[in-house]
Amino acid sequence: MRSVLERMARAGHTPLYRLPPAQARAAYEAGAGVLEVPRPELARVQDLRIPTRDGDSIPARLYAPSEGRLPVLVYFHGGGFTIGSIASHDTLCRVLARDGGCAVVSVGYRLAPEHRFPTAVEDAWDAVQSVAREAAALGLDGSRLALGGDSAGGTLATVCAMLARDAGLPVALQLLFYPGCAARQEAPSHRRYHEGVVLEQAHIEYFFGQYIAEAARDDWRFAPLNTPDVEGVAPAWFGLAECDPLCDDGLHYADKLRAAGVVVDLEIYRGVTHEFIKMGRALPEARQAHADAAAALQHAWQA
């Protein structure tokens, strides 16, 4: 991990938080696949459009390792609600589909600052409902549904799991890679890893400033730790990075779920930073996290 960070520093790229959002998105996309594992070829890759409640539509991409009637993981990419896309997480979603024994629907929710909170949440929930409703038409098994995401996408997955519980929509698993869970950056890991890692405090402030007003940050749809009642929500698998400002927030949310009787499986991958799951070419911990997440999915489908 240190070698990766040193190479990133030598490359001398302008930090994303110093760029306008459009340039930050382009810079992130340009580097998104550099350290990825080889991209799996799949039997089925299909681009979709999902209608939203305001009359617009958003892109989605369906990945499946076979043409069979598979269970489905709805996946939300990371990027601080400001950067990232279906394309930036293409390889990861292919790996999860191949190894998780399922189809993956990757959702291109609308980004800030053009679309501020709660648009991403509303797009995510609209997508979950659409996939559940249209699963049969897509040749999928909508009775076996999981929700997943990394970073900001993990936040969206947790929120959608709560909304699914309230709507009576069964969810087999929440698959959460280092999700954002807190309204404020107060936990010790934020102080310990505030700079010199992939996600720095300056990045967090930049992304949140694009996405949400300070006065709205206590809303549980932004900060799942503020959810008043998590009882009865879907089982959760957490993959956290030790050297990540968000690590302690993820631990606290896992503890909150456990205290409410929710089944939780949690792994902390030692010595790695935020974004590590997209660095499988360089980091064995990333490849291990892929395998662990796939095993959690396989177990969920059999439960």
Side-chain angles (χ1 to χ4, degrees):
M1 188 74 246
R2 179 171 288 138
S3 174
V4 169
L5 293 174
E6 289 171 352
R7 279 180 278 166
M8 291 171 66
R10 285 199 301 271
H13 297 303
T14 302
L16 297 181
Y17 58 79
R18 293 182 180 167
L19 298 173
Q23 292 183 29
R25 287 173 198 153
Y28 180 73
E29 295 288 336
V34 172
L35 295 177
E36 292 271 25
V37 296
R39 191 183 78 161
E41 294 299 322
L42 298 175
R44 184 181 178 192
V45 179
Q46 179 181 350
D47 286 323
L48 310 170
R49 299 293 301 185
I50 292 176
T52 59
R53 66 190 66 189
D54 60 2
D56 205 340
S57 68
I58 55 174
R61 184 172 295 163
L62 168 63
Y63 303 91
S66 74
E67 297 289 345
R69 187 171 177 268
L70 297 168
V72 58
L73 166 68
V74 181
Y75 193 86
F76 306 106
H77 66 78
F81 307 101
T82 305
I83 63 174
S85 68
I86 292 170
S88 69
H89 285 62
D90 180 80
T91 296
L92 176 61
C93 288
R94 287 171 179 264
V95 169
L96 292 173
R98 181 193 66 191
D99 299 343
C102 62
V104 175
V105 175
S106 179
V107 178
Y109 57 91
R110 289 173 288 184
L111 300 176
E114 296 88 347
H115 302 279
R116 288 170 64 83
F117 176 82
T119 301
V121 173
E122 293 173 346
D123 284 358
W125 179 231
D126 288 349
V128 171
Q129 293 178 95
S130 178
V131 170
R133 186 173 56 246
E134 301 297 329
L138 291 169
L140 305 175
D141 182 359
S143 69
R144 292 186 292 167
L145 177 71
L147 308 175
D150 58 289
S151 194
T155 307
L156 295 175
T158 68
V159 172
C160 286
M162 294 299 305
L163 295 171
R165 179 203 64 178
D166 295 344
L169 177 63
V171 172
L173 183 70
Q174 304 177 67
L175 188 81
L176 308 173
F177 296 107
Y178 36 77
C181 296
R184 306 284 184 277
Q185 291 75 61
E186 298 170 342
S189 59
H190 284 284
R191 296 190 293 274
R192 190 177 301 120
Y193 301 112
H194 71 283
E195 63 181 2
V197 292
V198 173
L199 180 71
E200 301 181 311
Q201 180 64 25
H203 289 102
I204 296 172
E205 293 173 357
Y206 170 77
F207 292 139
F208 289 178
Q210 303 293 331
Y211 177 58
I212 190 168
E214 176 67 31
R217 292 190 186 183
D218 289 318
D219 191 309
W220 70 269
R221 296 172 297 168
F222 172 71
L225 271 167
N226 292 345
T227 307
D229 173 23
V230 297
E231 186 175 356
V233 76
W237 179 90
F238 287 78
L240 306 181
E242 180 187 15
C243 306
D244 180 0
L246 302 188
C247 185
D248 287 349
D249 296 334
L251 284 170
H252 293 158
Y253 190 63
D255 286 345
K256 183 183 179 87
L257 294 178
R258 283 196 186 104
V262 177
V263 176
V264 172
D265 184 9
L266 183 143
E267 298 287 343
I268 300 177
Y269 297 91
R270 301 295 179 180
V272 294
T273 72
H274 201 81
E275 192 78 356
F276 83 96
I277 57 163
K278 296 177 81 281
M279 301 179 184
R281 193 183 301 272
L283 301 176
E285 291 83 0
R287 300 191 295 274
Q288 184 62 52
H290 295 168
D292 293 342
L297 287 166
Q298 293 272 12
H299 177 75
W301 308 138
Q302 296 163 10

Short mmCIF file of all heavy atoms in Angstrom, two decimals, residues 247-291:
data_model
loop_
_atom_site.label_atom_id
_atom_site.label_comp_id
_atom_site.label_asym_id
_atom_site.label_seq_id
_atom_site.Cartn_x
_atom_site.Cartn_y
_atom_site.Cartn_z
N CYS A 247 -13.03 4.27 8.73
CA CYS A 247 -13.02 2.95 9.36
C CYS A 247 -13.84 2.92 10.65
O CYS A 247 -14.70 2.04 10.84
CB CYS A 247 -11.59 2.52 9.65
SG CYS A 247 -11.45 0.83 10.29
N ASP A 248 -13.61 3.87 11.55
CA ASP A 248 -14.31 3.84 12.83
C ASP A 248 -15.81 4.06 12.67
O ASP A 248 -16.62 3.47 13.39
CB ASP A 248 -13.74 4.90 13.78
CG ASP A 248 -12.37 4.52 14.32
OD1 ASP A 248 -11.95 3.37 14.12
OD2 ASP A 248 -11.71 5.39 14.92
N ASP A 249 -16.19 4.91 11.72
CA ASP A 249 -17.62 5.13 11.48
C ASP A 249 -18.30 3.83 11.03
O ASP A 249 -19.43 3.52 11.45
CB ASP A 249 -17.83 6.22 10.41
CG ASP A 249 -17.31 7.58 10.85
OD1 ASP A 249 -17.25 7.83 12.06
OD2 ASP A 249 -16.98 8.38 9.96
N GLY A 250 -17.61 3.06 10.16
CA GLY A 250 -18.14 1.77 9.75
C GLY A 250 -18.27 0.81 10.91
O GLY A 250 -19.27 0.09 11.03
N LEU A 251 -17.27 0.80 11.79
CA LEU A 251 -17.33 -0.05 12.97
C LEU A 251 -18.51 0.34 13.86
O LEU A 251 -19.23 -0.53 14.38
CB LEU A 251 -16.03 0.07 13.77
CG LEU A 251 -14.82 -0.66 13.21
CD1 LEU A 251 -13.56 -0.24 13.97
CD2 LEU A 251 -15.00 -2.16 13.29
N HIS A 252 -18.72 1.63 14.03
CA HIS A 252 -19.81 2.09 14.90
C HIS A 252 -21.17 1.70 14.31
O HIS A 252 -22.09 1.31 15.05
CB HIS A 252 -19.73 3.61 15.08
CG HIS A 252 -18.53 4.04 15.86
ND1 HIS A 252 -18.01 5.32 15.78
CD2 HIS A 252 -17.72 3.37 16.71
CE1 HIS A 252 -16.94 5.41 16.57
NE2 HIS A 252 -16.75 4.25 17.13
N TYR A 253 -21.29 1.79 12.98
CA TYR A 253 -22.57 1.41 12.37
C TYR A 253 -22.80 -0.10 12.49
O TYR A 253 -23.92 -0.56 12.77
CB TYR A 253 -22.65 1.85 10.91
CG TYR A 253 -24.04 1.69 10.34
CD1 TYR A 253 -25.10 2.42 10.86
CD2 TYR A 253 -24.30 0.80 9.31
CE1 TYR A 253 -26.39 2.26 10.37
CE2 TYR A 253 -25.59 0.64 8.80
CZ TYR A 253 -26.62 1.38 9.34
OH TYR A 253 -27.89 1.22 8.85
N ALA A 254 -21.73 -0.88 12.30
CA ALA A 254 -21.85 -2.32 12.48
C ALA A 254 -22.29 -2.65 13.91
O ALA A 254 -23.14 -3.53 14.13
CB ALA A 254 -20.53 -3.01 12.15
N ASP A 255 -21.72 -1.94 14.88
CA ASP A 255 -22.11 -2.17 16.28
C ASP A 255 -23.57 -1.81 16.50
O ASP A 255 -24.28 -2.48 17.26
CB ASP A 255 -21.23 -1.33 17.21
CG ASP A 255 -19.82 -1.88 17.34
OD1 ASP A 255 -19.60 -3.05 16.96
OD2 ASP A 255 -18.93 -1.14 17.81
N LYS A 256 -24.03 -0.73 15.86
CA LYS A 256 -25.42 -0.32 15.99
C LYS A 256 -26.35 -1.41 15.45
O LYS A 256 -27.38 -1.73 16.07
CB LYS A 256 -25.65 1.00 15.24
CG LYS A 256 -27.06 1.59 15.35
CD LYS A 256 -27.17 2.86 14.52
CE LYS A 256 -28.57 3.46 14.59
NZ LYS A 256 -28.71 4.38 15.75
N LEU A 257 -25.98 -2.00 14.32
CA LEU A 257 -26.79 -3.07 13.76
C LEU A 257 -26.79 -4.29 14.68
O LEU A 257 -27.85 -4.87 14.96
CB LEU A 257 -26.26 -3.46 12.37
CG LEU A 257 -26.37 -2.43 11.26
CD1 LEU A 257 -25.76 -2.97 9.97
CD2 LEU A 257 -27.81 -2.00 11.02
N ARG A 258 -25.62 -4.67 15.15
CA ARG A 258 -25.52 -5.83 16.04
C ARG A 258 -26.38 -5.64 17.30
O ARG A 258 -27.04 -6.57 17.76
CB ARG A 258 -24.07 -6.07 16.44
CG ARG A 258 -23.21 -6.72 15.39
CD ARG A 258 -21.94 -7.26 16.02
NE ARG A 258 -21.01 -7.78 15.02
CZ ARG A 258 -19.92 -7.14 14.62
NH1 ARG A 258 -19.62 -5.95 15.11
NH2 ARG A 258 -19.13 -7.71 13.73
N ALA A 259 -26.32 -4.43 17.85
CA ALA A 259 -27.08 -4.15 19.07
C ALA A 259 -28.58 -4.30 18.85
O ALA A 259 -29.33 -4.56 19.80
CB ALA A 259 -26.76 -2.75 19.58
N ALA A 260 -29.02 -4.13 17.59
CA ALA A 260 -30.43 -4.27 17.26
C ALA A 260 -30.78 -5.69 16.81
O ALA A 260 -31.90 -5.94 16.36
CB ALA A 260 -30.80 -3.28 16.16
N GLY A 261 -29.81 -6.61 16.90
CA GLY A 261 -30.08 -8.00 16.55
C GLY A 261 -29.88 -8.34 15.09
O GLY A 261 -30.27 -9.43 14.65
N VAL A 262 -29.26 -7.43 14.34
CA VAL A 262 -29.00 -7.69 12.92
C VAL A 262 -27.73 -8.53 12.80
O VAL A 262 -26.72 -8.27 13.48
CB VAL A 262 -28.83 -6.36 12.15
CG1 VAL A 262 -28.49 -6.62 10.69
CG2 VAL A 262 -30.10 -5.53 12.26
N VAL A 263 -27.75 -9.52 11.94
CA VAL A 263 -26.57 -10.36 11.70
C VAL A 263 -25.54 -9.55 10.92
O VAL A 263 -25.84 -9.02 9.85
CB VAL A 263 -26.95 -11.64 10.93
CG1 VAL A 263 -25.70 -12.44 10.59
CG2 VAL A 263 -27.93 -12.48 11.75
N VAL A 264 -24.33 -9.47 11.46
CA VAL A 264 -23.26 -8.69 10.84
C VAL A 264 -22.01 -9.53 10.71
O VAL A 264 -21.60 -10.22 11.65
CB VAL A 264 -22.94 -7.43 11.69
CG1 VAL A 264 -21.69 -6.72 11.17
CG2 VAL A 264 -24.12 -6.47 11.71
N ASP A 265 -21.40 -9.48 9.54
CA ASP A 265 -20.08 -10.08 9.30
C ASP A 265 -19.17 -8.93 8.90
O ASP A 265 -19.50 -8.17 7.98
CB ASP A 265 -20.18 -11.12 8.18
CG ASP A 265 -18.88 -11.85 7.93
OD1 ASP A 265 -17.92 -11.68 8.73
OD2 ASP A 265 -18.78 -12.58 6.93
N LEU A 266 -18.04 -8.78 9.60
CA LEU A 266 -17.18 -7.61 9.37
C LEU A 266 -15.74 -8.04 9.25
O LEU A 266 -15.24 -8.83 10.05
CB LEU A 266 -17.35 -6.61 10.51
CG LEU A 266 -16.58 -5.29 10.37
CD1 LEU A 266 -17.40 -4.12 10.91
CD2 LEU A 266 -15.24 -5.35 11.12
N GLU A 267 -15.07 -7.50 8.22
CA GLU A 267 -13.64 -7.72 8.03
C GLU A 267 -12.95 -6.36 7.95
O GLU A 267 -13.43 -5.45 7.27
CB GLU A 267 -13.37 -8.49 6.72
CG GLU A 267 -13.97 -9.88 6.67
CD GLU A 267 -13.24 -10.87 7.56
OE1 GLU A 267 -12.09 -10.58 7.97
OE2 GLU A 267 -13.82 -11.93 7.85
N ILE A 268 -11.82 -6.24 8.66
CA ILE A 268 -10.96 -5.07 8.51
C ILE A 268 -9.69 -5.53 7.79
O ILE A 268 -8.97 -6.39 8.29
CB ILE A 268 -10.59 -4.44 9.87
CG1 ILE A 268 -11.85 -3.98 10.61
CG2 ILE A 268 -9.65 -3.25 9.66
CD1 ILE A 268 -11.57 -3.40 11.99
N TYR A 269 -9.44 -4.98 6.63
CA TYR A 269 -8.28 -5.36 5.83
C TYR A 269 -7.11 -4.49 6.25
O TYR A 269 -7.14 -3.27 6.10
CB TYR A 269 -8.62 -5.27 4.34
CG TYR A 269 -9.71 -6.24 3.99
CD1 TYR A 269 -11.05 -5.86 4.04
CD2 TYR A 269 -9.41 -7.57 3.70
CE1 TYR A 269 -12.07 -6.77 3.80
CE2 TYR A 269 -10.41 -8.49 3.45
CZ TYR A 269 -11.74 -8.09 3.49
OH TYR A 269 -12.74 -9.00 3.27
N ARG A 270 -6.09 -5.12 6.79
CA ARG A 270 -5.01 -4.42 7.47
C ARG A 270 -4.05 -3.75 6.49
O ARG A 270 -3.72 -4.29 5.44
CB ARG A 270 -4.23 -5.40 8.35
CG ARG A 270 -5.09 -6.09 9.41
CD ARG A 270 -5.64 -5.10 10.41
NE ARG A 270 -6.50 -5.74 11.42
CZ ARG A 270 -7.10 -5.09 12.41
NH1 ARG A 270 -6.94 -3.79 12.54
NH2 ARG A 270 -7.87 -5.73 13.26
N GLY A 271 -3.64 -2.55 6.88
CA GLY A 271 -2.59 -1.86 6.15
C GLY A 271 -2.99 -1.23 4.83
O GLY A 271 -2.13 -0.76 4.09
N VAL A 272 -4.30 -1.20 4.53
CA VAL A 272 -4.75 -0.63 3.25
C VAL A 272 -5.65 0.57 3.50
O VAL A 272 -6.15 0.80 4.61
CB VAL A 272 -5.48 -1.67 2.38
CG1 VAL A 272 -4.51 -2.76 1.95
CG2 VAL A 272 -6.66 -2.29 3.12
N THR A 273 -5.85 1.36 2.47
CA THR A 273 -6.58 2.61 2.55
C THR A 273 -7.93 2.52 1.84
O THR A 273 -8.24 1.53 1.17
CB THR A 273 -5.78 3.76 1.90
OG1 THR A 273 -5.79 3.58 0.47
CG2 THR A 273 -4.34 3.80 2.40
N HIS A 274 -8.70 3.55 1.99
CA HIS A 274 -9.92 3.75 1.21
C HIS A 274 -9.60 3.50 -0.27
O HIS A 274 -8.51 3.82 -0.74
CB HIS A 274 -10.38 5.20 1.41
CG HIS A 274 -11.81 5.43 1.09
ND1 HIS A 274 -12.83 5.14 1.98
CD2 HIS A 274 -12.42 5.94 0.00
CE1 HIS A 274 -13.99 5.47 1.45
NE2 HIS A 274 -13.77 5.94 0.23
N GLU A 275 -10.55 2.93 -0.98
CA GLU A 275 -10.43 2.68 -2.43
C GLU A 275 -9.62 1.42 -2.74
O GLU A 275 -9.45 1.06 -3.91
CB GLU A 275 -9.82 3.90 -3.14
CG GLU A 275 -9.88 3.94 -4.65
CD GLU A 275 -11.23 4.34 -5.23
OE1 GLU A 275 -12.20 4.52 -4.47
OE2 GLU A 275 -11.32 4.48 -6.46
N PHE A 276 -9.17 0.70 -1.72
CA PHE A 276 -8.27 -0.42 -1.98
C PHE A 276 -8.91 -1.53 -2.81
O PHE A 276 -8.21 -2.26 -3.51
CB PHE A 276 -7.74 -1.00 -0.66
CG PHE A 276 -8.65 -1.98 0.03
CD1 PHE A 276 -8.49 -3.35 -0.13
CD2 PHE A 276 -9.69 -1.54 0.84
CE1 PHE A 276 -9.34 -4.25 0.50
CE2 PHE A 276 -10.54 -2.43 1.48
CZ PHE A 276 -10.36 -3.79 1.30
N ILE A 277 -10.24 -1.68 -2.74
CA ILE A 277 -10.87 -2.78 -3.47
C ILE A 277 -10.72 -2.64 -4.99
O ILE A 277 -10.93 -3.60 -5.72
CB ILE A 277 -12.37 -2.95 -3.13
CG1 ILE A 277 -13.14 -1.67 -3.38
CG2 ILE A 277 -12.54 -3.45 -1.72
CD1 ILE A 277 -14.63 -1.88 -3.46
N LYS A 278 -10.33 -1.43 -5.45
CA LYS A 278 -10.11 -1.23 -6.88
C LYS A 278 -8.63 -1.27 -7.24
O LYS A 278 -8.21 -0.75 -8.27
CB LYS A 278 -10.75 0.09 -7.31
CG LYS A 278 -12.27 0.09 -7.14
CD LYS A 278 -12.90 1.42 -7.48
CE LYS A 278 -13.08 1.61 -8.96
NZ LYS A 278 -11.89 1.99 -9.72
N MET A 279 -7.83 -1.90 -6.38
CA MET A 279 -6.38 -1.96 -6.58
C MET A 279 -5.88 -3.40 -6.57
O MET A 279 -4.79 -3.70 -6.10
CB MET A 279 -5.66 -1.14 -5.50
CG MET A 279 -6.05 0.32 -5.47
SD MET A 279 -5.18 1.22 -4.15
CE MET A 279 -5.94 2.85 -4.29
N GLY A 280 -6.68 -4.31 -7.09
CA GLY A 280 -6.34 -5.72 -7.01
C GLY A 280 -5.11 -6.13 -7.79
O GLY A 280 -4.51 -7.17 -7.50
N ARG A 281 -4.70 -5.33 -8.75
CA ARG A 281 -3.47 -5.65 -9.49
C ARG A 281 -2.24 -5.52 -8.59
O ARG A 281 -1.23 -6.19 -8.79
CB ARG A 281 -3.34 -4.72 -10.70
CG ARG A 281 -2.28 -5.14 -11.71
CD ARG A 281 -2.17 -4.13 -12.83
NE ARG A 281 -3.42 -3.94 -13.53
CZ ARG A 281 -3.82 -4.66 -14.57
NH1 ARG A 281 -3.07 -5.66 -15.01
NH2 ARG A 281 -4.98 -4.41 -15.17
N ALA A 282 -2.35 -4.63 -7.58
CA ALA A 282 -1.21 -4.36 -6.70
C ALA A 282 -1.36 -4.93 -5.30
O ALA A 282 -0.36 -5.21 -4.64
CB ALA A 282 -1.00 -2.83 -6.59
N LEU A 283 -2.61 -5.11 -4.84
CA LEU A 283 -2.85 -5.44 -3.44
C LEU A 283 -3.54 -6.79 -3.28
O LEU A 283 -4.69 -6.95 -3.70
CB LEU A 283 -3.72 -4.36 -2.77
CG LEU A 283 -3.19 -2.93 -2.79
CD1 LEU A 283 -4.22 -1.99 -2.18
CD2 LEU A 283 -1.88 -2.84 -2.02
N PRO A 284 -2.89 -7.76 -2.64
CA PRO A 284 -3.58 -9.03 -2.38
C PRO A 284 -4.79 -8.85 -1.47
O PRO A 284 -5.74 -9.64 -1.55
CB PRO A 284 -2.49 -9.90 -1.72
CG PRO A 284 -1.44 -8.94 -1.27
CD PRO A 284 -1.49 -7.78 -2.19
N GLU A 285 -4.77 -7.81 -0.61
CA GLU A 285 -5.93 -7.55 0.26
C GLU A 285 -7.17 -7.25 -0.56
O GLU A 285 -8.29 -7.59 -0.16
CB GLU A 285 -5.63 -6.39 1.21
CG GLU A 285 -4.59 -6.70 2.27
CD GLU A 285 -3.15 -6.53 1.77
OE1 GLU A 285 -2.95 -6.18 0.59
OE2 GLU A 285 -2.23 -6.78 2.57
N ALA A 286 -7.01 -6.59 -1.70
CA ALA A 286 -8.16 -6.30 -2.56
C ALA A 286 -8.73 -7.59 -3.12
O ALA A 286 -9.96 -7.80 -3.13
CB ALA A 286 -7.75 -5.37 -3.69
N ARG A 287 -7.86 -8.47 -3.57
CA ARG A 287 -8.34 -9.74 -4.12
C ARG A 287 -9.00 -10.59 -3.03
O ARG A 287 -9.99 -11.28 -3.29
CB ARG A 287 -7.17 -10.48 -4.78
CG ARG A 287 -6.54 -9.69 -5.93
CD ARG A 287 -5.56 -10.51 -6.74
NE ARG A 287 -4.38 -10.93 -6.00
CZ ARG A 287 -3.28 -10.19 -5.86
NH1 ARG A 287 -3.21 -8.97 -6.38
NH2 ARG A 287 -2.23 -10.67 -5.19
N GLN A 288 -8.48 -10.51 -1.81
CA GLN A 288 -9.11 -11.22 -0.71
C GLN A 288 -10.48 -10.65 -0.41
O GLN A 288 -11.44 -11.39 -0.14
CB GLN A 288 -8.23 -11.14 0.54
CG GLN A 288 -8.77 -11.94 1.73
CD GLN A 288 -8.84 -13.43 1.43
OE1 GLN A 288 -7.85 -14.03 1.00
NE2 GLN A 288 -10.02 -14.02 1.63
N ALA A 289 -10.60 -9.32 -0.45
CA ALA A 289 -11.90 -8.68 -0.21
C ALA A 289 -12.90 -9.07 -1.28
O ALA A 289 -14.09 -9.28 -0.99
CB ALA A 289 -11.75 -7.17 -0.14
N HIS A 290 -12.45 -9.16 -2.54
CA HIS A 290 -13.35 -9.63 -3.60
C HIS A 290 -13.87 -11.03 -3.27
O HIS A 290 -15.08 -11.30 -3.39
CB HIS A 290 -12.61 -9.69 -4.94
CG HIS A 290 -12.15 -8.37 -5.46
ND1 HIS A 290 -11.27 -8.26 -6.51
CD2 HIS A 290 -12.46 -7.10 -5.09
CE1 HIS A 290 -11.04 -6.98 -6.75
NE2 HIS A 290 -11.75 -6.26 -5.90
N ALA A 291 -12.97 -11.92 -2.86
CA ALA A 291 -13.37 -13.29 -2.55
C ALA A 291 -14.30 -13.34 -1.35
O ALA A 291 -15.29 -14.09 -1.34
CB ALA A 291 -12.13 -14.15 -2.30
#
